[in-house]
Amino acid sequence: MKILLLGSGELGKEFTISAQRIGQIVIAVDSYENAPAMQVAHDFEIINMLDGDALDSIVAKHQPDFIVPEIEAIRTERFYDYEKQGITVVPSAKAANFTMNRKAIRDLASKELGLKTAKYRYATTAEELQKGVKAVGMPCVVKPLMSSSGKGQSTIKTEADIEKAWNYAVEGSRGDVVEVIVEAFVKFNSEITLLTVVQNNNPTLFCAPIGHRQERGDYQESWQPALISDKDLYEAQDMAEKVTEALGGAGLFGVEFFLTDDGVYFSELSPRPHDTGMVTLAGTQNFNEFELHLRAILSLPIFEITLEKAGASAVILATENATNPTYSGIEKIAALPKTDFRIFGKPTSRPYRRMGVALVNDSLKTPIEEVVEKAKKAANLVTVNS
Ligand SMILES: Nc1ncnc2c1ncn2[C@@H]1O[C@H](COP(=O)(O)OP(=O)(O)OP(=O)(O)O)[C@@H](O)[C@H]1O
Ligand SMILES: NCC(=O)N[C@@H]1O[C@H](COP(=O)([O-])[O-])[C@@H](O)[C@H]1O
Ligand SMILES: [Mg+2]
């Protein structure tokens, strides 16, 4: 099968490697040369994926069987046409289109499906934001409707933060929509990603929940399994099943939840492998999240997902702007037991850009905090040099 991969970062690179291993053809697309997945794909294209005409032309040129979005910033409205042409958009045109914009997915989850979410409002001006803040209460979180990895996101604690938050969100917004969501701050005890695998001819399966810690809206460490009560887990699984069913199609979804004293809150979801799910590269499961996504897409049956080990991932971040950065400390991380790592091979670095990840596994009997600590220490051994 021929797969057109839209987005070629670290997640796409691992997906491409999984696809190559079972003989699939991958064309990797992104906005810059030598993106991680391009380094391992059969062919590549460099376009602005928000440009619908540019998308049309590469779809016409390559005639793929599958279109696999890897990022959100794509002119996803065109996906409905591609589906009509007989191409399978993964997981579905609706899933990719709805999750590109926080408004579409939030209204679907909260209004249509009745899932519990933080109280929220939308705003198209600083004045509207003021009203929204009043409605949801402080503290609250402001995010552009179109952004990811925490870009343009900030927390309002006092009246004086509102204008700053508006300006920051507008600057961090991508796409052509100038609108934000303001959400009540959820005082969560922890947050999880529930990797949910929707299959074409077989039941939906769940991976063991993944815990994670975020800074600046971006994940720092993730671990599997996360500590969660059975009641919360069933509630999260039920919500994940409802929202993935409403979006349609087959594939792996990363469904994000907050765990609070007052139950589980739905936050958002990725209709594709999730960054926090890179912990599965540590060998925690019988199949990692990329293999699961691929199998679900190709309608290859997944009989079960088994948790084999406890694991943790910790990110390796850049500190400076550089071209073709180099890495030191690789021999140190390589010397550690039960530890592995990935360097994504991004051609440039900038402060806080994720350049690699440390991966640690251990017995399921080991306290998960210890596994996370080991992953953090391992990640700290590697430095990105300019
Ligand atoms: N309403 C909220 N209350 C408390 N914390 C929040 C809230 N919304 C977001 N956060 C924090 O910010 C993080 C990032 O938020 P969110 O997942 O909505 O952003 P994102 O830009 O889509 O990130 P990504 O694309 O990496 O998933 C969350 O994982 C959580 O830690
Ligand atoms: N939370 C979404 C996420 O983790 N996406 C992953 O990061 C890449 C972009 O990285 P970059 O900004 O360093 O190019 C994306 O291509 C995807 O692999
Ligand atoms: Mg998120």
Side-chain angles (χ1 to χ4, degrees):
M1 293 287 177
K2 195 190 261 188
I3 298 170
L4 190 68
L5 179 70
L6 300 180
S8 298
E10 52 269 44
L11 305 180
K13 186 174 196 172
E14 290 295 337
F15 173 80
T16 301
I17 292 168
S18 304
Q20 302 268 21
R21 280 190 173 141
I22 59 167
Q24 309 303 309
I25 296 167
V26 180
I27 318 294
V29 184
D30 214 317
S31 59
Y32 65 97
E33 245 175 85
N34 204 22
M38 292 177 189
Q39 300 162 14
V40 292
H42 288 80
D43 200 355
F44 68 91
E45 294 286 350
I46 296 164
I47 61 160
N48 170 5
M49 289 178 277
L50 286 166
D51 175 346
D53 295 340
L55 269 183
D56 284 352
S57 73
I58 58 163
V59 170
K61 174 176 167 193
H62 291 284
Q63 306 265 317
D65 302 292
F66 294 92
I67 292 176
V68 178
E70 196 257 0
I71 57 166
E72 283 167 7
I74 303 171
R75 185 59 52 213
T76 53
E77 294 86 343
R78 301 278 167 128
F79 286 180
Y80 296 103
D81 283 342
Y82 304 152
E83 267 184 359
K84 282 192 198 124
Q85 290 169 30
I87 301 169
T88 303
V89 177
V90 172
S92 67
K94 181 178 177 185
N97 183 238
F98 272 50
T99 51
M100 178 193 187
N101 186 323
R102 295 185 199 276
K103 195 175 200 168
I105 184 64
R106 178 54 64 93
D107 285 346
L108 174 78
S110 172
K111 294 190 180 147
E112 223 171 284
L113 303 173
L115 308 189
K116 181 152 82 182
T117 67
K119 198 168 178 190
Y120 65 96
R121 289 287 186 280
Y122 303 113
T124 54
T125 60
E127 292 69 42
E128 269 179 35
L129 180 58
Q130 199 121 23
K131 283 189 203 144
V133 171
K134 231 181 211 148
V136 304
M138 284 189 278
C140 54
V141 182
V142 176
K143 305 171 205 176
L145 284 189
M146 294 223 224
S147 76
S148 64
S149 294
K151 290 192 186 81
Q153 179 179 326
S154 67
T155 303
I156 292 178
K157 293 189 180 116
T158 69
E159 196 83 9
D161 297 332
I162 299 179
E163 189 153 335
K164 258 190 299 179
W166 169 259
N167 291 330
Y168 187 62
V170 171
E171 274 166 36
S173 178
R174 71 171 140 67
D176 28 30
V177 180
V178 180
E179 191 168 357
V180 305
I181 183 169
V182 54
E183 296 180 15
F185 190 91
V186 179
K187 289 188 198 74
F188 56 82
N189 301 318
S190 63
E191 52 183 323
I192 60 158
T193 304
L194 189 61
L195 298 178
T196 302
V197 184
V198 183
Q199 307 192 72
N200 275 323
N201 306 309
N202 282 292
T204 290
L205 300 174
F206 300 102
C207 296
I210 293 169
H212 52 94
R213 189 181 68 83
Q214 304 261 333
E215 252 177 52
R216 299 170 300 274
D218 220 358
Y219 111 92
Q220 305 300 302
E221 301 97 32
S222 68
W223 54 91
Q224 188 185 34
L227 291 173
I228 178 171
S229 68
D230 284 349
K231 180 176 171 287
D232 282 358
L233 183 58
Y234 293 141
E235 212 173 304
Q237 289 181 342
D238 181 56
M239 290 199 243
E241 188 139 27
K242 282 191 180 126
V243 69
T244 53
E245 195 184 314
L247 291 171
L252 173 139
F253 296 72
V255 191
E256 299 176 28
F257 296 99
F258 300 130
L259 308 185
T260 76
D261 288 341
D262 127 66
V264 183
Y265 283 71
F266 169 81
S267 173
E268 59 154 8
L269 89 165
S270 67
R272 65 182 78 92
H274 199 269
D275 51 6
T276 63
M278 281 194 281
V279 65
T280 60
L281 293 171
T284 52
Q285 306 188 144
N286 55 340
F287 295 114
N288 68 41
E289 65 165 345
F290 308 100
E291 294 163 338
L292 290 169
H293 194 47
L294 180 71
R295 281 187 166 231
I297 294 167
L298 298 177
S299 297
L300 297 174
I302 302 159
F303 179 69
E304 62 179 351
I305 302 169
T306 57
L307 183 67
E308 303 291 335
K309 284 174 184 159
S313 79
V315 300
I316 296 168
L317 302 179
T319 53
E320 285 172 49
N321 290 307
T323 303
N324 298 323
T326 58
Y327 299 82
S328 43
I330 300 288
E331 62 300 332
K332 289 189 197 141
I333 195 172
L336 297 173
K338 297 177 183 173
T339 303
D340 198 359
F341 62 94
R342 297 282 188 277
I343 299 291
F344 307 141
K346 291 183 182 175
T348 60
S349 68
R350 55 175 181 267
Y352 298 115
R353 190 175 198 190
R354 187 168 61 217
M355 306 300 283
V357 69
L359 303 162
V360 172
N361 69 40
D362 214 326
S363 138
L364 281 163
K365 291 187 188 130
T366 311
I368 199 73
E369 307 77 43
E370 281 178 28
V371 190
V372 177
E373 231 15 74
K374 280 188 196 160
K376 270 165 88 168
K377 282 198 182 129
N380 282 335
L381 293 174
V382 181
T383 47
V384 185
N385 309 310
S386 44

